Amino acid sequence: VAPTTPVCEVPSSAMTGTVVQMSCKETEGSPPSEYQWYKNGVALLEKTGTGSARAANITYTMNKRSGTLLFNTVTKNDTGEYFCEASNGIGLSQKCSVKRMQV
């Protein structure tokens, strides 16, 4: 079953240095969807603990299976427009509407 449009939870504002968790979920897809987060239209890298993520100074953890995007300490650099895309290899992938977070 193709995924439906996911529901995205993105806070509209956050204080610098706080923990922020964004979530993305859709329930119709079978097999279960994987989720990809985008910031300002650019796909976010999945942090795997390898050198490349550290070199890019990534401050978040993205879980493609649960759809969560977790910032341990947000900075002004994390301000932007976020959306997520659900896909399971069946039908078209689905995106939620873009939401802006201001830090």
Side-chain angles (χ1 to χ4, degrees):
V1 180
T4 55
T5 302
V7 175
C8 294
E9 303 275 336
V10 176
S12 56
S13 63
M15 294 285 292
T16 304
T18 58
V19 174
V20 171
Q21 181 168 318
M22 302 181 188
S23 65
C24 178
K25 197 77 186 151
E26 71 80 32
T27 53
E28 299 292 311
S30 180
S33 291
E34 289 208 336
Y35 303 98
Q36 171 66 53
W37 279 95
Y38 293 80
K39 176 186 172 188
N40 300 331
V42 178
L44 293 173
L45 296 168
E46 189 168 22
K47 186 176 181 182
T48 54
T50 55
S52 60
R54 266 196 223 101
N57 202 13
I58 290 175
T59 58
Y60 59 81
T61 308
M62 179 171 59
N63 186 321
K64 291 193 171 190
R65 296 203 190 291
S66 68
T68 56
L69 180 62
L70 178 69
F71 294 87
N72 287 325
T73 53
V74 292
T75 67
K76 287 188 169 27
N77 293 339
D78 296 317
T79 295
E81 305 204 326
Y82 291 85
F83 70 88
C84 121
E85 180 180 65
S87 59
N88 66 353
I90 298 170
L92 296 171
S93 58
Q94 299 287 336
K95 299 179 176 73
C96 65
S97 55
V98 174
K99 298 189 179 177
R100 180 167 178 81
M101 178 176 74
Q102 181 73 45
V103 180

Coordinates of all heavy atoms in Angstrom, one line a residue:
V1 N 0.9 -1.2 0.0 CA 0.0 0.0 0.0 C 0.9 1.2 0.0 O 1.8 1.3 0.8 CB -0.9 0.0 1.3 CG1 -1.8 1.3 1.3 CG2 -1.7 -1.2 1.3
A2 N 0.6 2.2 -0.9 CA 1.4 3.4 -0.9 C 1.2 4.2 0.3 O 0.1 4.2 0.9 CB 1.0 4.2 -2.2
P3 N 2.2 5.0 0.7 CA 2.0 5.9 1.9 C 1.0 7.0 1.6 O 0.8 7.4 0.5 CB 3.4 6.4 2.1 CG 4.2 6.3 0.9 CD 3.5 5.1 0.1
T4 N 0.4 7.5 2.7 CA -0.5 8.6 2.7 C 0.4 9.8 3.1 O 1.6 9.7 3.4 CB -1.6 8.5 3.7 OG1 -1.1 8.3 5.0 CG2 -2.6 7.4 3.3
T5 N -0.2 11.0 2.9 CA 0.6 12.2 3.3 C 0.9 12.2 4.8 O 0.0 12.0 5.6 CB -0.3 13.5 3.0 OG1 -0.6 13.5 1.7 CG2 0.5 14.7 3.3
P6 N 2.2 12.3 5.1 CA 2.6 12.2 6.6 C 2.2 13.4 7.3 O 2.0 14.5 6.8 CB 4.1 12.0 6.5 CG 4.5 12.6 5.2 CD 3.4 12.4 4.3
V7 N 2.0 13.3 8.6 CA 1.8 14.4 9.5 C 3.1 14.8 10.2 O 3.8 14.0 10.7 CB 0.8 14.0 10.7 CG1 0.6 15.1 11.7 CG2 -0.6 13.6 10.1
C8 N 3.5 16.0 10.0 CA 4.7 16.5 10.5 C 4.5 17.4 11.7 O 3.7 18.3 11.6 CB 5.5 17.4 9.4 SG 6.0 16.4 8.0
E9 N 5.3 17.2 12.7 CA 5.3 18.1 13.9 C 6.6 18.9 13.9 O 7.7 18.3 14.1 CB 5.2 17.3 15.2 CG 4.0 16.3 15.2 CD 2.7 17.0 15.7 OE1 2.9 18.0 16.5 OE2 1.6 16.6 15.4
V10 N 6.5 20.2 13.6 CA 7.7 21.0 13.6 C 7.4 22.2 14.5 O 6.4 22.9 14.2 CB 8.0 21.5 12.2 CG1 9.2 22.5 12.2 CG2 8.4 20.3 11.3
P11 N 8.1 22.5 15.6 CA 7.9 23.7 16.4 C 8.1 24.9 15.6 O 9.0 25.0 14.8 CB 8.8 23.6 17.6 CG 9.9 22.7 17.1 CD 9.3 21.8 16.0
S12 N 7.2 26.0 15.8 CA 7.4 27.2 15.0 C 8.6 28.0 15.5 O 9.2 28.8 14.8 CB 6.1 28.0 15.0 OG 5.8 28.3 16.4
S13 N 8.9 27.8 16.8 CA 10.1 28.5 17.4 C 10.7 27.7 18.5 O 10.1 26.8 19.1 CB 9.6 29.9 17.9 OG 8.8 29.7 19.0
A14 N 12.0 28.0 18.7 CA 12.7 27.2 19.7 C 13.8 28.2 20.2 O 14.3 29.0 19.5 CB 13.4 26.0 19.1
M15 N 14.2 28.0 21.5 CA 15.2 28.8 22.1 C 16.6 28.1 21.8 O 16.7 26.9 21.8 CB 15.1 28.8 23.6 CG 13.9 29.5 24.1 SD 14.0 31.3 24.0 CE 15.3 31.6 25.3
T16 N 17.6 29.0 21.5 CA 18.9 28.5 21.2 C 19.4 27.6 22.4 O 19.2 28.0 23.6 CB 19.9 29.7 21.1 OG1 19.4 30.5 20.0 CG2 21.3 29.2 20.7
G17 N 20.0 26.5 22.1 CA 20.5 25.6 23.1 C 19.6 24.6 23.7 O 20.0 23.8 24.5
T18 N 18.3 24.6 23.3 CA 17.3 23.7 23.8 C 17.3 22.4 22.9 O 17.8 22.4 21.8 CB 15.9 24.3 23.9 OG1 15.5 24.7 22.6 CG2 15.9 25.5 24.8
V19 N 16.6 21.4 23.4 CA 16.4 20.1 22.7 C 15.1 20.3 21.9 O 14.1 20.7 22.4 CB 16.3 18.9 23.6 CG1 16.0 17.7 22.9 CG2 17.6 18.8 24.4
V20 N 15.2 20.0 20.6 CA 14.0 20.0 19.8 C 13.8 18.7 19.1 O 14.8 18.2 18.5 CB 14.1 21.2 18.7 CG1 13.0 21.1 17.7 CG2 14.2 22.5 19.4
Q21 N 12.6 18.1 19.1 CA 12.4 16.9 18.4 C 11.2 17.2 17.4 O 10.2 17.7 17.8 CB 12.0 15.8 19.3 CG 11.7 14.5 18.5 CD 11.6 13.3 19.4 OE1 12.4 13.1 20.3 NE2 10.7 12.4 19.1
M22 N 11.5 16.8 16.2 CA 10.4 16.9 15.1 C 10.0 15.5 14.8 O 10.8 14.6 14.9 CB 10.9 17.6 13.9 CG 11.5 19.0 14.1 SD 12.1 19.7 12.6 CE 12.8 21.2 13.2
S23 N 8.7 15.3 14.5 CA 8.3 14.0 14.1 C 7.5 14.0 12.8 O 6.9 15.0 12.4 CB 7.4 13.4 15.3 OG 6.2 14.2 15.4
C24 N 7.5 12.8 12.2 CA 6.8 12.6 10.9 C 6.2 11.2 10.9 O 6.9 10.3 11.3 CB 7.9 12.8 9.8 SG 7.2 12.5 8.2
K25 N 4.9 11.1 10.6 CA 4.3 9.8 10.7 C 3.2 9.7 9.7 O 2.4 10.6 9.5 CB 3.7 9.7 12.1 CG 3.4 8.2 12.5 CD 4.7 7.5 12.9 CE 4.4 6.0 13.1 NZ 5.5 5.1 12.8
E26 N 3.1 8.5 9.1 CA 1.9 8.2 8.3 C 1.7 6.7 8.6 O 2.6 5.9 8.9 CB 2.1 8.5 6.8 CG 3.0 7.6 6.0 CD 2.5 6.3 5.6 OE1 1.2 6.2 5.4 OE2 3.2 5.3 5.5
T27 N 0.4 6.3 8.6 CA 0.0 5.0 9.1 C -0.5 4.0 8.0 O -0.7 2.9 8.3 CB -1.0 5.2 10.2 OG1 -2.1 5.9 9.7 CG2 -0.5 5.8 11.4
E28 N -0.7 4.5 6.8 CA -1.4 3.6 5.8 C -0.4 2.8 5.1 O -0.7 1.7 4.6 CB -2.1 4.5 4.8 CG -3.2 5.4 5.4 CD -4.4 4.5 5.9 OE1 -4.9 3.6 5.2 OE2 -4.8 4.7 7.0
G29 N 0.8 3.2 4.9 CA 1.8 2.5 4.1 C 2.1 1.1 4.5 O 2.3 0.9 5.7
S30 N 2.2 0.2 3.6 CA 2.6 -1.2 3.9 C 3.4 -1.7 2.7 O 2.9 -1.7 1.6 CB 1.3 -2.0 4.1 OG 1.7 -3.4 4.4
P31 N 4.6 -2.0 2.9 CA 5.4 -2.1 4.2 C 5.5 -0.7 4.8 O 5.3 0.3 4.1 CB 6.8 -2.6 3.8 CG 6.9 -2.3 2.3 CD 5.5 -2.4 1.8
P32 N 5.9 -0.6 6.1 CA 6.0 0.7 6.8 C 6.9 1.6 6.0 O 8.0 1.2 5.5 CB 6.5 0.4 8.2 CG 6.1 -1.1 8.4 CD 6.2 -1.7 7.0
S33 N 6.6 2.9 6.0 CA 7.4 3.9 5.3 C 8.7 4.2 6.0 O 8.8 4.0 7.2 CB 6.6 5.2 5.2 OG 5.5 5.0 4.3
E34 N 9.6 4.7 5.2 CA 10.8 5.3 5.8 C 10.7 6.8 5.5 O 10.0 7.2 4.6 CB 12.1 4.8 5.1 CG 12.4 3.4 5.5 CD 13.9 3.1 5.4 OE1 14.6 3.8 4.6 OE2 14.4 2.2 6.1
Y35 N 11.2 7.6 6.4 CA 11.0 9.0 6.4 C 12.3 9.7 6.1 O 13.4 9.4 6.7 CB 10.4 9.5 7.7 CG 9.2 8.8 8.0 CD1 9.1 7.7 8.9 CD2 8.0 9.2 7.5 CE1 8.0 7.0 9.2 CE2 6.8 8.6 7.8 CZ 6.8 7.5 8.6 OH 5.6 6.8 8.9
Q36 N 12.3 10.8 5.3 CA 13.4 11.6 5.0 C 13.1 13.0 5.3 O 12.1 13.5 4.8 CB 13.8 11.4 3.5 CG 14.9 12.4 3.0 CD 16.2 12.2 3.7 OE1 16.8 11.1 3.6 NE2 16.8 13.2 4.2
W37 N 13.9 13.7 6.1 CA 13.6 15.1 6.4 C 14.4 16.0 5.5 O 15.5 15.6 5.0 CB 14.1 15.4 7.8 CG 13.0 15.0 8.8 CD1 13.0 13.8 9.5 CD2 11.9 15.8 9.3 NE1 11.9 13.8 10.4 CE2 11.2 15.0 10.2 CE3 11.4 17.0 8.9 CZ2 10.0 15.5 10.8 CZ3 10.3 17.5 9.5 CH2 9.6 16.7 10.5
Y38 N 13.8 17.1 5.2 CA 14.5 18.1 4.3 C 14.5 19.5 5.0 O 13.5 19.8 5.8 CB 13.7 18.3 3.0 CG 13.7 17.1 2.1 CD1 12.9 16.0 2.3 CD2 14.6 17.1 1.0 CE1 12.9 14.9 1.5 CE2 14.6 16.0 0.2 CZ 13.8 14.9 0.4 OH 13.8 13.8 -0.4
K39 N 15.6 20.2 4.9 CA 15.6 21.6 5.4 C 15.9 22.5 4.2 O 16.9 22.3 3.5 CB 16.8 21.7 6.4 CG 16.9 23.1 6.9 CD 18.2 23.2 7.8 CE 18.4 24.7 8.2 NZ 19.7 24.8 8.8
N40 N 15.0 23.5 4.0 CA 15.1 24.4 2.9 C 15.3 23.7 1.6 O 16.0 24.1 0.7 CB 16.3 25.4 3.1 CG 16.2 26.2 4.4 OD1 15.1 26.5 4.9 ND2 17.3 26.6 5.0
G41 N 14.5 22.6 1.5 CA 14.5 21.8 0.2 C 15.7 20.9 0.0 O 15.7 20.2 -1.0
V42 N 16.6 20.8 1.0 CA 17.8 19.9 0.8 C 17.6 18.8 1.8 O 17.3 18.9 3.0 CB 19.1 20.7 1.1 CG1 20.3 19.8 1.0 CG2 19.2 21.9 0.2
A43 N 17.9 17.6 1.3 CA 17.7 16.4 2.1 C 18.8 16.4 3.2 O 20.0 16.7 3.0 CB 17.9 15.1 1.2
L44 N 18.4 16.1 4.4 CA 19.3 16.0 5.5 C 20.0 14.7 5.5 O 19.4 13.7 5.2 CB 18.5 16.2 6.9 CG 18.0 17.6 7.1 CD1 17.1 17.6 8.3 CD2 19.1 18.7 7.2
L45 N 21.3 14.7 5.9 CA 22.0 13.4 6.0 C 21.6 12.7 7.2 O 21.3 13.2 8.3 CB 23.5 13.8 6.1 CG 24.1 14.5 4.8 CD1 25.5 15.0 5.2 CD2 24.2 13.5 3.7
E46 N 21.6 11.4 7.1 CA 21.4 10.5 8.3 C 22.7 10.4 9.0 O 23.7 10.0 8.5 CB 20.9 9.1 7.8 CG 20.4 8.3 9.0 CD 19.7 7.1 8.6 OE1 19.9 6.6 7.5 OE2 18.9 6.6 9.4
K47 N 22.7 10.8 10.3 CA 23.9 10.7 11.1 C 24.2 9.3 11.5 O 23.3 8.7 12.1 CB 23.7 11.6 12.3 CG 25.0 11.8 13.1 CD 24.8 12.8 14.2 CE 26.0 12.9 15.1 NZ 25.8 13.8 16.2
T48 N 25.3 8.8 11.1 CA 25.6 7.4 11.4 C 26.8 7.3 12.4 O 27.2 6.2 12.8 CB 26.0 6.7 10.2 OG1 27.1 7.4 9.5 CG2 24.8 6.5 9.2
G49 N 27.3 8.4 12.8 CA 28.5 8.4 13.7 C 29.8 8.2 13.0 O 30.9 8.1 13.6
T50 N 29.8 8.3 11.7 CA 31.0 8.2 10.9 C 31.6 9.6 10.7 O 30.9 10.6 11.0 CB 30.7 7.6 9.5 OG1 29.7 8.3 8.9 CG2 30.3 6.1 9.6
G51 N 32.8 9.6 10.2 CA 33.5 10.9 10.1 C 32.8 11.9 9.3 O 32.9 13.1 9.6
S52 N 32.1 11.5 8.3 CA 31.5 12.5 7.4 C 30.5 13.4 8.1 O 30.5 14.6 7.9 CB 30.9 11.8 6.2 OG 29.9 11.0 6.6
A53 N 29.7 12.8 8.9 CA 28.7 13.5 9.7 C 29.4 14.5 10.6 O 28.9 15.7 10.8 CB 27.8 12.6 10.4
R54 N 30.4 14.1 11.3 CA 31.1 14.9 12.2 C 31.8 16.1 11.5 O 31.7 17.2 12.0 CB 32.1 14.2 13.0 CG 31.6 13.7 14.3 CD 32.6 13.2 15.3 NE 32.2 12.0 15.9 CZ 32.6 10.8 15.6 NH1 33.5 10.6 14.6 NH2 32.1 9.7 16.1
A55 N 32.3 15.8 10.4 CA 33.0 16.8 9.6 C 32.0 17.9 9.2 O 32.4 19.1 9.1 CB 33.7 16.2 8.4
A56 N 30.8 17.5 8.9 CA 29.8 18.4 8.4 C 29.2 19.2 9.6 O 28.3 20.0 9.5 CB 28.7 17.7 7.7
N57 N 29.7 18.9 10.8 CA 29.2 19.5 12.1 C 27.7 19.4 12.2 O 27.0 20.3 12.5 CB 29.6 21.0 12.0 CG 29.6 21.6 13.4 OD1 29.6 20.9 14.4 ND2 29.6 22.9 13.5
I58 N 27.2 18.1 12.1 CA 25.8 17.8 12.2 C 25.4 17.8 13.6 O 26.1 17.1 14.4 CB 25.5 16.5 11.4 CG1 25.6 16.7 9.9 CG2 24.1 16.0 11.8 CD1 25.4 15.5 9.1
T59 N 24.4 18.5 14.0 CA 23.9 18.6 15.4 C 22.6 17.9 15.6 O 22.0 18.1 16.6 CB 23.7 20.1 15.8 OG1 22.8 20.6 14.9 CG2 25.1 20.9 15.6
Y60 N 22.2 17.0 14.7 CA 20.9 16.4 14.9 C 21.1 14.9 14.7 O 22.1 14.4 14.2 CB 19.9 16.9 13.9 CG 20.3 16.7 12.4 CD1 20.2 15.5 11.8 CD2 20.9 17.7 11.7 CE1 20.6 15.3 10.5 CE2 21.4 17.5 10.4 CZ 21.2 16.3 9.8 OH 21.6 16.1 8.5
T61 N 20.1 14.1 15.1 CA 20.0 12.7 14.8 C 18.7 12.5 14.0 O 17.6 12.9 14.5 CB 20.0 11.9 16.1 OG1 21.1 12.3 16.9 CG2 20.1 10.4 15.8
M62 N 18.7 11.9 12.9 CA 17.5 11.6 12.1 C 17.3 10.0 12.1 O 18.3 9.3 11.8 CB 17.7 12.1 10.7 CG 16.5 11.8 9.8 SD 16.5 12.6 8.2 CE 18.0 12.0 7.5
N63 N 16.1 9.6 12.4 CA 15.8 8.2 12.4 C 14.8 8.0 11.2 O 13.7 8.4 11.3 CB 15.2 7.8 13.7 CG 15.0 6.3 13.8 OD1 14.6 5.6 12.8 ND2 15.3 5.7 14.9
K64 N 15.3 7.3 10.2 CA 14.4 7.1 9.0 C 13.2 6.2 9.3 O 12.2 6.3 8.6 CB 15.2 6.6 7.8 CG 16.2 7.6 7.3 CD 16.8 7.3 6.0 CE 17.6 8.5 5.5 NZ 18.0 8.3 4.1
R65 N 13.4 5.3 10.2 CA 12.3 4.4 10.5 C 11.2 5.0 11.3 O 10.0 4.8 11.1 CB 12.8 3.1 11.2 CG 13.8 2.4 10.3 CD 13.9 0.9 10.6 NE 15.0 0.2 9.9 CZ 15.0 0.0 8.6 NH1 13.9 0.4 7.9 NH2 16.0 -0.6 8.0
S66 N 11.6 5.7 12.4 CA 10.6 6.3 13.3 C 10.1 7.7 12.8 O 9.1 8.2 13.2 CB 11.1 6.5 14.7 OG 12.1 7.4 14.7
G67 N 10.9 8.3 11.9 CA 10.5 9.6 11.4 C 10.9 10.8 12.3 O 10.5 11.9 12.0
T68 N 11.7 10.5 13.3 CA 12.0 11.6 14.2 C 13.3 12.3 13.8 O 14.2 11.7 13.2 CB 12.3 11.1 15.7 OG1 13.2 10.1 15.6 CG2 11.0 10.6 16.3
L69 N 13.3 13.6 14.0 CA 14.5 14.4 13.8 C 14.8 15.1 15.1 O 14.0 15.9 15.6 CB 14.2 15.4 12.7 CG 15.4 16.4 12.3 CD1 16.6 15.6 11.8 CD2 15.0 17.4 11.2
L70 N 15.9 14.8 15.7 CA 16.2 15.3 17.1 C 17.4 16.2 17.1 O 18.5 15.8 16.6 CB 16.4 14.1 18.0 CG 16.8 14.4 19.4 CD1 15.6 15.0 20.2 CD2 17.3 13.2 20.2
F71 N 17.3 17.4 17.6 CA 18.4 18.3 17.7 C 18.7 18.3 19.2 O 17.9 18.7 20.0 CB 18.0 19.7 17.3 CG 17.7 19.9 15.8 CD1 16.5 19.6 15.3 CD2 18.7 20.2 15.0 CE1 16.2 19.7 14.0 CE2 18.5 20.4 13.6 CZ 17.2 20.1 13.1
N72 N 20.0 18.0 19.6 CA 20.4 18.0 21.0 C 20.5 19.4 21.5 O 20.0 19.7 22.6 CB 21.7 17.3 21.2 CG 21.5 15.8 21.0 OD1 20.4 15.3 21.4 ND2 22.4 15.1 20.5
T73 N 21.0 20.3 20.7 CA 21.1 21.7 21.1 C 20.9 22.5 19.8 O 21.8 22.5 18.9 CB 22.4 22.1 21.7 OG1 23.5 21.7 20.9 CG2 22.5 21.5 23.1
V74 N 19.8 23.2 19.6 CA 19.5 23.9 18.4 C 20.3 25.2 18.4 O 20.6 25.8 19.5 CB 18.0 24.3 18.1 CG1 17.3 23.0 17.8 CG2 17.4 25.0 19.3
T75 N 20.7 25.7 17.2 CA 21.4 26.9 17.1 C 20.7 27.8 16.1 O 19.8 27.3 15.4 CB 22.9 26.7 16.6 OG1 22.8 26.2 15.2 CG2 23.6 25.7 17.4
K76 N 21.1 29.0 15.9 CA 20.4 29.9 15.0 C 20.6 29.3 13.5 O 19.7 29.5 12.7 CB 21.1 31.3 15.0 CG 20.6 32.1 16.2 CD 21.1 33.5 16.1 CE 20.5 34.4 17.2 NZ 20.1 33.9 18.4
N77 N 21.6 28.5 13.3 CA 21.8 27.9 12.0 C 20.7 26.9 11.7 O 20.5 26.5 10.5 CB 23.2 27.1 12.0 CG 24.3 28.1 12.0 OD1 24.2 29.3 11.7 ND2 25.5 27.6 12.4
D78 N 20.0 26.4 12.7 CA 18.9 25.4 12.5 C 17.6 26.1 12.1 O 16.7 25.4 11.7 CB 18.7 24.5 13.7 CG 20.0 23.7 14.0 OD1 20.6 23.2 13.1 OD2 20.4 23.6 15.2
T79 N 17.6 27.4 12.1 CA 16.4 28.1 11.6 C 16.2 27.7 10.1 O 17.1 27.7 9.4 CB 16.5 29.6 11.7 OG1 16.6 29.9 13.1 CG2 15.4 30.4 11.1
G80 N 14.9 27.5 9.7 CA 14.7 27.1 8.3 C 13.4 26.5 8.1 O 12.5 26.4 9.0
E81 N 13.1 26.1 6.9 CA 11.9 25.5 6.5 C 12.1 24.0 6.4 O 12.9 23.5 5.6 CB 11.4 26.1 5.2 CG 11.3 27.6 5.3 CD 10.4 28.2 4.3 OE1 10.2 27.7 3.2 OE2 9.7 29.2 4.7
Y82 N 11.3 23.2 7.2 CA 11.4 21.8 7.2 C 10.2 21.1 6.7 O 9.1 21.5 6.9 CB 11.6 21.4 8.7 CG 12.9 21.8 9.3 CD1 13.1 23.0 9.8 CD2 14.0 20.9 9.3 CE1 14.3 23.4 10.4 CE2 15.2 21.3 9.8 CZ 15.4 22.6 10.4 OH 16.6 22.9 10.9
F83 N 10.4 20.0 6.0 CA 9.3 19.1 5.7 C 9.9 17.7 5.6 O 11.1 17.5 5.6 CB 8.6 19.5 4.4 CG 9.4 19.2 3.2 CD1 9.4 18.0 2.5 CD2 10.2 20.3 2.6 CE1 10.1 17.8 1.3 CE2 10.9 20.1 1.5 CZ 10.9 18.8 0.8
C84 N 9.0 16.7 5.6 CA 9.5 15.3 5.6 C 8.7 14.6 4.5 O 7.6 15.0 4.1 CB 9.3 14.7 6.9 SG 8.3 13.3 7.0
E85 N 9.3 13.5 4.0 CA 8.8 12.7 2.9 C 8.7 11.3 3.4 O 9.7 10.8 3.9 CB 9.8 12.9 1.7 CG 9.4 12.1 0.5 CD 10.4 12.3 -0.6 OE1 11.6 11.9 -0.5 OE2 10.0 12.9 -1.6
A86 N 7.6 10.6 3.1 CA 7.4 9.2 3.5 C 7.4 8.4 2.2 O 6.8 8.8 1.2 CB 6.1 9.0 4.2
S87 N 8.2 7.3 2.2 CA 8.2 6.4 1.0 C 8.4 5.0 1.5 O 9.1 4.7 2.5 CB 9.3 6.9 0.1 OG 10.6 6.8 0.7
N88 N 7.8 4.1 0.7 CA 8.0 2.7 1.1 C 8.2 1.8 -0.2 O 8.1 0.6 -0.2 CB 6.8 2.1 1.9 CG 5.5 2.1 1.1 OD1 5.5 2.6 -0.1 ND2 4.5 1.5 1.6
G89 N 8.5 2.5 -1.3 CA 8.8 1.8 -2.5 C 7.6 1.5 -3.3 O 7.7 0.9 -4.4
I90 N 6.4 1.8 -2.8 CA 5.2 1.5 -3.5 C 4.5 2.9 -3.8 O 4.3 3.7 -2.9 CB 4.2 0.6 -2.7 CG1 4.9 -0.7 -2.5 CG2 2.9 0.5 -3.4 CD1 4.3 -1.6 -1.5
G91 N 4.1 3.1 -5.0 CA 3.4 4.3 -5.4 C 4.4 5.5 -5.2 O 5.6 5.4 -5.1
L92 N 3.8 6.7 -5.2 CA 4.6 7.9 -5.1 C 4.9 8.2 -3.6 O 4.1 7.9 -2.7 CB 3.8 9.1 -5.6 CG 3.6 9.0 -7.1 CD1 2.6 10.2 -7.6 CD2 4.9 9.1 -7.9
S93 N 6.1 8.8 -3.4 CA 6.4 9.2 -2.0 C 5.5 10.4 -1.7 O 5.0 11.1 -2.6 CB 7.8 9.5 -1.8 OG 8.2 10.5 -2.7
Q94 N 5.2 10.6 -0.4 CA 4.3 11.7 0.0 C 5.0 12.7 0.9 O 5.8 12.2 1.8 CB 3.1 11.1 0.8 CG 2.3 10.2 -0.1 CD 1.4 10.9 -1.1 OE1 1.1 12.1 -1.0 NE2 1.1 10.2 -2.2
K95 N 4.8 14.0 0.8 CA 5.4 15.0 1.6 C 4.4 15.7 2.4 O 3.3 15.9 2.0 CB 6.1 16.0 0.7 CG 7.2 15.5 -0.2 CD 7.8 16.6 -1.0 CE 9.0 16.2 -1.9 NZ 8.6 15.4 -3.0
C96 N 4.8 16.1 3.6 CA 3.9 17.0 4.4 C 4.2 18.4 4.0 O 5.2 18.7 3.3 CB 4.2 16.8 5.9 SG 5.8 17.3 6.5
S97 N 3.4 19.3 4.4 CA 3.6 20.7 4.1 C 4.8 21.3 4.8 O 5.1 20.8 5.9 CB 2.3 21.6 4.4 OG 2.0 21.4 5.8
V98 N 5.4 22.3 4.2 CA 6.6 22.9 4.8 C 6.3 23.7 6.0 O 5.3 24.5 6.0 CB 7.3 23.8 3.7 CG1 8.5 24.5 4.3 CG2 7.7 22.9 2.5
K99 N 7.1 23.6 7.0 CA 6.9 24.3 8.3 C 8.2 25.0 8.6 O 9.2 24.4 8.6 CB 6.4 23.4 9.4 CG 5.0 22.8 9.1 CD 4.4 22.1 10.3 CE 3.1 21.5 9.9 NZ 2.5 20.7 11.0
R100 N 8.0 26.3 9.1 CA 9.2 27.0 9.4 C 9.5 27.0 10.9 O 8.6 27.2 11.7 CB 9.1 28.5 9.0 CG 10.3 29.3 9.3 CD 10.3 30.7 8.6 NE 11.4 31.5 8.9 CZ 12.6 31.3 8.4 NH1 12.8 30.4 7.5 NH2 13.6 32.0 8.8
M101 N 10.8 26.7 11.3 CA 11.2 26.8 12.6 C 12.1 28.0 12.8 O 13.1 28.1 12.0 CB 11.9 25.5 13.1 CG 12.4 25.7 14.6 SD 13.1 24.1 15.2 CE 14.7 24.1 14.4
Q102 N 11.8 28.9 13.7 CA 12.7 30.0 14.0 C 13.4 29.8 15.3 O 12.7 29.5 16.3 CB 11.8 31.3 14.1 CG 12.6 32.6 14.4 CD 13.4 33.0 13.2 OE1 12.9 33.0 12.0 NE2 14.6 33.4 13.4
V103 N 14.7 29.8 15.3 CA 15.5 29.6 16.5 C 16.0 31.0 17.1 O 16.5 31.7 16.3 CB 16.7 28.7 16.3 CG1 17.5 28.5 17.6 CG2 16.2 27.4 15.7

